[in-house]
Amino acid sequence: MIRPRAAYDGGPSRKHGATVDVRIGVTFSPREIELELADDTDADALRARVESALSAGQGVLWLTDRKGRQVGVAVDKLAWIELGTGSDKGRIGFGG
């Protein structure tokens, strides 16, 4: 389960002041779920929590956005997850 931002420790891998953007693809849905998480979200800790939820194979993955809204996605319906930082938004073009 992903907890509200108070649960993140803000470890050394965090980029200070950079928001973490999450895009989630859900099976049998043409639309993506897009969230902008709190500034103090640790992307590595978030990735570890997502991997833990996926390895359990059942339940709901809960994320809390920067406005405090909670979004839950059934783990067995996850098609893909993309994690990025707010600084990634400035990129234009194709490829990495």
Side-chain angles (χ1 to χ4, degrees):
M1 173 171 64
I2 303 300
R3 295 189 178 107
R5 65 183 184 160
Y8 295 103
D9 63 356
S13 62
R14 175 177 63 103
K15 294 181 181 179
H16 185 68
T19 59
V20 175
D21 298 322
V22 179
R23 289 180 33 198
I24 301 172
V26 181
T27 58
F28 305 113
S29 176
R31 298 192 62 168
E32 303 167 349
I33 299 170
E34 294 188 35
L35 298 166
E36 189 173 288
L37 302 184
D39 293 344
D40 63 348
T41 300
D42 181 345
D44 291 333
L46 175 61
R47 185 173 51 242
R49 290 179 188 271
V50 169
E51 289 174 1
S52 175
L54 290 172
S55 67
Q58 59 184 344
V60 178
L61 174 66
W62 286 99
L63 298 171
T64 303
D65 73 3
R66 66 180 305 136
K67 294 181 180 181
R69 294 177 293 209
Q70 294 185 345
V71 175
V73 179
V75 172
D76 62 343
K77 301 298 181 192
L78 292 175
W80 54 269
I81 297 178
E82 176 183 285
L83 300 176
T85 61
S87 60
D88 294 341
K89 290 182 180 180
R91 295 187 340 192
I92 299 174
F94 298 98

